[in-house]
Amino acid sequence: MALTILVRSAEGTSLPRITFDAPRIVIGRGEGCEVRLPDPSVSHRHASIRQRGSDYIVLDEGSTNGTFAGGVRLSPQAPRVVRSGDLLRVGRVWLEVRIEHAIPTKNAPLATREMALALVAEALAAEGSKTVPRVLVVKGAGAGTELALEETERAYVIGRAKSADLDLDDVDLSRRHVELARKGDSVVIRDLGSKNGSRLDDKPLPPNTDTPWRRGAILSVGNVHLACDDPVGAALDELERAADERMPANEILEPPKSDDPPPSQPPAGVPSPKASPRSSRPLSSGNPVSSRPGAWTLTDVLVAFLALAVLSLSVAGLVWLIRSG
């Protein structure tokens, strides 16, 4: 039986999911986690699900905000058996566990990064922020212009030709100098056998070979310097470097209902979409405390009335004893 984990705190009708066939699955915000959740309320290594015989158990790995099974907070390193359909909460994020006959996700490390990027992109898009990688001309011909890499797997050409996706008037550029493409979660560069070559941070690029464009690196073609702006990748990196956000004691979220749209809990550090009305309702039981300090409830009035009645009877009894004596 394989283990599928769905992110129930995501927007949309298609919930992010990854299927595993492994004895241990680590859940957290860190890059090495099998389930990577870009929310600062999630610790870098928050919880783990492990196989024990024919069962799966969940353990809290000493997280800042705890791991919950339903409304019950787990003690650190105290195992709890999980069943198919159980809901777990790590920080502000709700997950659903399914134990089922399913094909494990191919290339799970890449899939978990793509899932994290998709969650961040979702939050950015909800606020109207840019999510598409852009190539910016920072020096040389065409300085200040940019090229948005809207489509994945499409080859965008940079060169001197007017038919190029980004044509630059530089005599040292070939007509078709380099190609750029979004592949997976990165942008790759391919020098097209240009006359003067291309350099990434002053390191020559081999011709006709895909080279990942490292974040922050400068691509030099002819006399033109180019930078790549990837807002989603940058936001994910920032979230992973951030310290854990400690949740307020009263910020306990109700589990999403299966027949309702899941509540949205996007990562902080990224503009968040409209909050779910359920997000502020606590799971803990008990009557709410009156918002007016010192306000009398019906119970208080009844208790006071009973106390006065007992006191009156005691005084009457004392007077009767005195008179009868």
Side-chain angles (χ1 to χ4, degrees), residues 113 117 130-134 185-187 215 228-236:
R113 176 170 173 81
L117 288 168
K130 293 181 178 179
T131 61
V132 175
R134 298 172 300 148
D185 63 340
S186 62
V187 175
R215 186 164 294 115
C228 184
D229 174 33
D230 179 7
V232 176
L236 179 60

Side-chain angles (χ1 to χ4, degrees), residues 159-181:
R160 193 161 40 86
K162 295 300 181 183
S163 59
D165 296 284
L166 181 60
D167 61 292
L168 301 170
D169 187 15
D170 186 323
V171 294
D172 289 331
L173 280 179
S174 297
R175 292 179 57 79
R176 292 170 54 88
H177 200 103
V178 293
E179 279 183 353
L180 306 176

